[in-house]
Amino acid sequence: MYVVVNYTRRLQTLAFNLGPSRYQGVTRASITSQDRKSKQNLSCFRWTHLITLVHQYSTRISNSKPCQVPVDLVDKLERLALVDFRNQEGLACLEKAIRFADQLHVVDTDGVDPMDSVLEERALYLREDAVAEGDCAEELLQLSKNTVEEYFVAPPGNIPLPKREERAAMFKHAEF
Amino acid sequence: MAGSSAGMTALLCNMNKQIAIFYPTITYQRHNWCVIRRICMFVSRCQSQAQTKPKSAPQELVGVVGLEIHAQIHSNTKLFSGSRVGFQAPPNSLVSFFDASLPGTLPVLNRRCVEAAVMTGLALNCTINRKSLFDRKHYFYADLPAGYQITQQRLPIAVDGTLTYSHLGGRKRNEVVTKSVRIKQIQLEQDSGKSLHNDYRNQTLIDLNRAGVGLMELVMEPDMSCGEEAAAAVREMQLILQALGTCQGNMAEGQLRVDANVSIHRPGDHWGIRTEVKNINSARNLARAIDYEIQRQMFVLESGGTVQNETRSFDGKTGHTIPMRDKEGLQDYRFMPEPNLPPLMVYEACSTAPPGVAPSQVVVLEEVRERLPELPSVRRQRLVETYGILPEHSFTLVNEDGLMDYFEAVVRETKAGPRKVIGWVMNELQGLLHQQNLSVSQSPISPQALAQILNLQENGQISSSIAKQVFQELWKTPGKTAQQIVKEQDLGMVNDSTEIYRICQKVVDSHPDQVQAIRSGNKKVLNKLMGLVQKETKGRADPVLVRAILEQKTS
């Protein structure tokens, strides 16, 4: 059972990072809605993939577990990553996920370089500077619903995410 | 710049108008004076910095300027895809599937871009990192289809370089003042697409032709203190990149984009809050934008406010910087390593490259170093040594596009010495070019034509003042040759000594008072007599001969 997500923008889910480096792994995935009428049953397994800034902040703010995620930080994360935590259960799951990931700190990584990707040992292929692609404007424009004279159309600037209170009001009458 | 008095008064008037517009409640008169005083101090401080340490009290606010330059790499294809790089092509025609970030596409690095970055790093005395890494920088904007930009944030390809630049300073703006600014890093990154805003229909039109083009981001340390220095540094960077061939450096076409980070502080204190100024499309506008921003920040501080950390856009028409609403607040880019690209390795010599790898797959520093062409600073030195001209002249020659070639062509074809030629090129040619706002390539007088005029002068067929007259004539009617003009207007040198003798005698006889003055010791009056003789002969007499005769007559 999957969570209903009805944004049209692309979502990013955040994955583990290994080692003491401070990055968040990001893989692109779009969560589509499957079963609108299902009861909300957030799988903690999914949320364990959400290691974000929260991890950094939590270790900085308080070394003791369990960590409390401040509301401002949640707001900021939602704005940056366009992920909706939606309600208290979601946040609780997030905090459990962080605690789960904290177990990594038990491993002693002194003197070990962080790994960037599994491709590290490969040689980077260098391409010759010759034109091989392009010239497919029609094909690309067909992918977009809204085009004007061979340009893609977008709304002006970034549409700001509505504030927390407004969002709560918006979803008050939704099923969840 | 604002060195000439005409420029200064224009700047002052502009500033006063701006202050009046911004703060209408403040009495115009009082701030008039304050602003004038501030600008005078500010501009003169910039100029005097080269000469001596300012003896002003340590409470003066100074500007701190750091630049971020994005230079579009001059290559056939884009950084990570095989689509063509071009300017002003039909919209979305130079876009591959990767540039449109369709799912399933992967980046493939362009070798030419790596070589360009390495060459630029070597030219700027940077340390080239043998291993550099690619990262993703995330932010949402319609012209960035992937939602992230592939850049090099952790470990860029080159770090710790210096850019040595010079500008004409000093009181008469003819001394070459040399400064240097540290380059923090050079990194490879992708360009974003172009967005055209249609406010009428409330939409933005996206053209992805530019998306994915390779850029070199050159980050400089904030070592500069005013707009003039920044403009000179950017000009020098343009010349270097053009000489290397890694970037065409045309700011108007967007091949070289500069953002300025401006703050002010008192020397010795912490740096103040900085603002970022964007949308600058020429070196001259860069100087204007930075000077305006420093002024504005000084005004804010001295009226008791605080400078906010924001991004501002420069408006070329008014000369103001305006806050950009879309970029409020500190952006968090959530950097992460690019998972699809292994580290980029650069090798010192062919021997250190891994064995068994094709030469097209390795970038070797030795080879790139060998291919480095002559840099502008070396070229200036060479001109001074070869032709014996002054450093400030060679600075101008290299600075203006095509002027050096023009100069060398004239020197080749004429008997006159390089110093004479440089005088003609600097004064006569440059004077008329600036007056009519033309570039060297648009000059109606070719190097050969100028060489002919100089040859006539050398041969003694015309005098120096006539030569200038012929030059002006030739400018207006480029079809004729110098010889033709001299013949038509009968401007040939009057060599008949009896004729000159007669004219001199006439002048001496008709001005006995002046002759008396000369005989009693005032030698300057001789010039007046010479002027009269020249007027009689319509400037065709040999000035040396005339002077000799007059001196003899009045002794």
Side-chain angles (χ1 to χ4, degrees), chain B residues 67-70 234 251 256-260 277-281 286:
Chain B
L67 295 179
E68 278 171 21
I69 299 182
H70 290 87
V234 167
M251 280 184 86
L256 193 71
R257 280 167 252 160
V258 183
D259 298 332
V277 182
K278 286 176 155 334
N279 193 29
I280 298 165
N281 63 359
L286 176 68

mmCIF file of all heavy atoms in Angstrom, chain B residues 67-70 234 251 256-260 277-281 286:
data_model
loop_
_atom_site.group_PDB
_atom_site.id
_atom_site.type_symbol
_atom_site.label_atom_id
_atom_site.label_comp_id
_atom_site.label_asym_id
_atom_site.label_seq_id
_atom_site.Cartn_x
_atom_site.Cartn_y
_atom_site.Cartn_z
ATOM 1 N N LEU B 67 34.650 38.484 -7.418
ATOM 2 C CA LEU B 67 33.929 38.195 -8.664
ATOM 3 C C LEU B 67 33.745 36.708 -8.868
ATOM 4 O O LEU B 67 34.595 35.908 -8.471
ATOM 5 C CB LEU B 67 34.723 38.736 -9.866
ATOM 6 C CG LEU B 67 34.910 40.241 -9.980
ATOM 7 C CD1 LEU B 67 35.728 40.556 -11.201
ATOM 8 C CD2 LEU B 67 33.576 40.934 -10.062
ATOM 9 N N GLU B 68 32.635 36.339 -9.488
ATOM 10 C CA GLU B 68 32.444 34.953 -9.949
ATOM 11 C C GLU B 68 32.227 35.043 -11.443
ATOM 12 O O GLU B 68 31.246 35.622 -11.893
ATOM 13 C CB GLU B 68 31.192 34.353 -9.308
ATOM 14 C CG GLU B 68 31.404 33.828 -7.924
ATOM 15 C CD GLU B 68 30.081 33.459 -7.263
ATOM 16 O OE1 GLU B 68 29.093 33.234 -7.984
ATOM 17 O OE2 GLU B 68 30.070 33.425 -6.030
ATOM 18 N N ILE B 69 33.140 34.470 -12.188
ATOM 19 C CA ILE B 69 33.044 34.584 -13.645
ATOM 20 C C ILE B 69 32.643 33.230 -14.213
ATOM 21 O O ILE B 69 33.262 32.213 -13.903
ATOM 22 C CB ILE B 69 34.397 35.016 -14.241
ATOM 23 C CG1 ILE B 69 34.787 36.373 -13.679
ATOM 24 C CG2 ILE B 69 34.309 35.075 -15.750
ATOM 25 C CD1 ILE B 69 36.073 36.900 -14.243
ATOM 26 N N HIS B 70 31.597 33.211 -15.032
ATOM 27 C CA HIS B 70 31.209 32.001 -15.749
ATOM 28 C C HIS B 70 31.600 32.191 -17.199
ATOM 29 O O HIS B 70 31.056 33.055 -17.879
ATOM 30 C CB HIS B 70 29.701 31.792 -15.669
ATOM 31 C CG HIS B 70 29.237 31.407 -14.303
ATOM 32 N ND1 HIS B 70 28.932 32.310 -13.331
ATOM 33 C CD2 HIS B 70 29.042 30.197 -13.738
ATOM 34 C CE1 HIS B 70 28.564 31.686 -12.242
ATOM 35 N NE2 HIS B 70 28.614 30.401 -12.454
ATOM 36 N N VAL B 234 38.462 41.817 -15.248
ATOM 37 C CA VAL B 234 37.627 41.073 -16.198
ATOM 38 C C VAL B 234 38.160 41.238 -17.610
ATOM 39 O O VAL B 234 38.192 40.294 -18.404
ATOM 40 C CB VAL B 234 36.162 41.547 -16.095
ATOM 41 C CG1 VAL B 234 35.354 41.052 -17.257
ATOM 42 C CG2 VAL B 234 35.568 41.065 -14.794
ATOM 43 N N MET B 251 30.965 39.377 -23.783
ATOM 44 C CA MET B 251 30.014 39.517 -22.675
ATOM 45 C C MET B 251 28.610 39.794 -23.163
ATOM 46 O O MET B 251 27.629 39.374 -22.563
ATOM 47 C CB MET B 251 30.467 40.641 -21.740
ATOM 48 C CG MET B 251 31.547 40.201 -20.800
ATOM 49 S SD MET B 251 32.021 41.457 -19.629
ATOM 50 C CE MET B 251 30.855 41.223 -18.332
ATOM 51 N N LEU B 256 30.603 35.275 -21.522
ATOM 52 C CA LEU B 256 31.333 35.550 -20.298
ATOM 53 C C LEU B 256 30.367 36.265 -19.382
ATOM 54 O O LEU B 256 29.916 37.366 -19.690
ATOM 55 C CB LEU B 256 32.540 36.453 -20.604
ATOM 56 C CG LEU B 256 33.581 36.599 -19.513
ATOM 57 C CD1 LEU B 256 34.350 35.318 -19.353
ATOM 58 C CD2 LEU B 256 34.551 37.719 -19.858
ATOM 59 N N ARG B 257 30.011 35.622 -18.277
ATOM 60 C CA ARG B 257 29.048 36.239 -17.357
ATOM 61 C C ARG B 257 29.729 36.505 -16.034
ATOM 62 O O ARG B 257 30.445 35.655 -15.521
ATOM 63 C CB ARG B 257 27.853 35.309 -17.140
ATOM 64 C CG ARG B 257 26.844 35.372 -18.256
ATOM 65 C CD ARG B 257 25.877 34.220 -18.153
ATOM 66 N NE ARG B 257 26.134 33.263 -19.201
ATOM 67 C CZ ARG B 257 25.732 32.001 -19.182
ATOM 68 N NH1 ARG B 257 25.080 31.534 -18.166
ATOM 69 N NH2 ARG B 257 25.999 31.199 -20.186
ATOM 70 N N VAL B 258 29.522 37.692 -15.503
ATOM 71 C CA VAL B 258 30.197 38.062 -14.260
ATOM 72 C C VAL B 258 29.157 38.420 -13.218
ATOM 73 O O VAL B 258 28.241 39.189 -13.482
ATOM 74 C CB VAL B 258 31.123 39.283 -14.492
ATOM 75 C CG1 VAL B 258 31.880 39.618 -13.229
ATOM 76 C CG2 VAL B 258 32.087 39.008 -15.622
ATOM 77 N N ASP B 259 29.304 37.839 -12.029
ATOM 78 C CA ASP B 259 28.494 38.262 -10.879
ATOM 79 C C ASP B 259 29.451 38.832 -9.851
ATOM 80 O O ASP B 259 30.519 38.280 -9.620
ATOM 81 C CB ASP B 259 27.767 37.069 -10.253
ATOM 82 C CG ASP B 259 26.809 36.409 -11.217
ATOM 83 O OD1 ASP B 259 26.301 37.102 -12.104
ATOM 84 O OD2 ASP B 259 26.588 35.197 -11.078
ATOM 85 N N ALA B 260 29.037 39.939 -9.251
ATOM 86 C CA ALA B 260 29.923 40.580 -8.279
ATOM 87 C C ALA B 260 29.368 40.421 -6.875
ATOM 88 O O ALA B 260 28.170 40.577 -6.656
ATOM 89 C CB ALA B 260 30.057 42.065 -8.615
ATOM 90 N N VAL B 277 25.468 40.931 -7.025
ATOM 91 C CA VAL B 277 24.894 41.729 -8.105
ATOM 92 C C VAL B 277 24.957 40.920 -9.395
ATOM 93 O O VAL B 277 26.038 40.458 -9.790
ATOM 94 C CB VAL B 277 25.677 43.052 -8.291
ATOM 95 C CG1 VAL B 277 25.041 43.885 -9.377
ATOM 96 C CG2 VAL B 277 25.697 43.819 -6.990
ATOM 97 N N LYS B 278 23.802 40.750 -10.027
ATOM 98 C CA LYS B 278 23.749 39.937 -11.250
ATOM 99 C C LYS B 278 23.273 40.794 -12.413
ATOM 100 O O LYS B 278 23.006 41.985 -12.261
ATOM 101 C CB LYS B 278 22.756 38.799 -11.050
ATOM 102 C CG LYS B 278 23.276 37.694 -10.152
ATOM 103 C CD LYS B 278 22.182 36.667 -9.955
ATOM 104 C CE LYS B 278 22.585 35.291 -9.612
ATOM 105 N NZ LYS B 278 23.716 34.630 -9.867
ATOM 106 N N ASN B 279 23.186 40.158 -13.581
ATOM 107 C CA ASN B 279 22.662 40.803 -14.782
ATOM 108 C C ASN B 279 23.551 41.945 -15.256
ATOM 109 O O ASN B 279 23.083 43.039 -15.544
ATOM 110 C CB ASN B 279 21.225 41.310 -14.529
ATOM 111 C CG ASN B 279 20.536 41.688 -15.814
ATOM 112 O OD1 ASN B 279 20.833 41.143 -16.863
ATOM 113 N ND2 ASN B 279 19.648 42.660 -15.743
ATOM 114 N N ILE B 280 24.850 41.654 -15.342
ATOM 115 C CA ILE B 280 25.792 42.662 -15.828
ATOM 116 C C ILE B 280 26.286 42.183 -17.185
ATOM 117 O O ILE B 280 26.767 41.067 -17.304
ATOM 118 C CB ILE B 280 26.986 42.776 -14.859
ATOM 119 C CG1 ILE B 280 26.462 43.221 -13.495
ATOM 120 C CG2 ILE B 280 28.006 43.746 -15.376
ATOM 121 C CD1 ILE B 280 27.457 43.032 -12.399
ATOM 122 N N ASN B 281 26.175 43.031 -18.210
ATOM 123 C CA ASN B 281 26.493 42.519 -19.530
ATOM 124 C C ASN B 281 27.649 43.223 -20.233
ATOM 125 O O ASN B 281 27.829 43.042 -21.429
ATOM 126 C CB ASN B 281 25.241 42.580 -20.417
ATOM 127 C CG ASN B 281 24.790 44.011 -20.620
ATOM 128 O OD1 ASN B 281 25.384 44.940 -20.091
ATOM 129 N ND2 ASN B 281 23.732 44.183 -21.381
ATOM 130 N N LEU B 286 29.850 46.656 -15.362
ATOM 131 C CA LEU B 286 30.346 46.033 -14.129
ATOM 132 C C LEU B 286 30.883 47.102 -13.195
ATOM 133 O O LEU B 286 30.562 47.134 -12.007
ATOM 134 C CB LEU B 286 31.450 45.026 -14.476
ATOM 135 C CG LEU B 286 32.150 44.350 -13.308
ATOM 136 C CD1 LEU B 286 31.212 43.428 -12.581
ATOM 137 C CD2 LEU B 286 33.352 43.555 -13.794
#
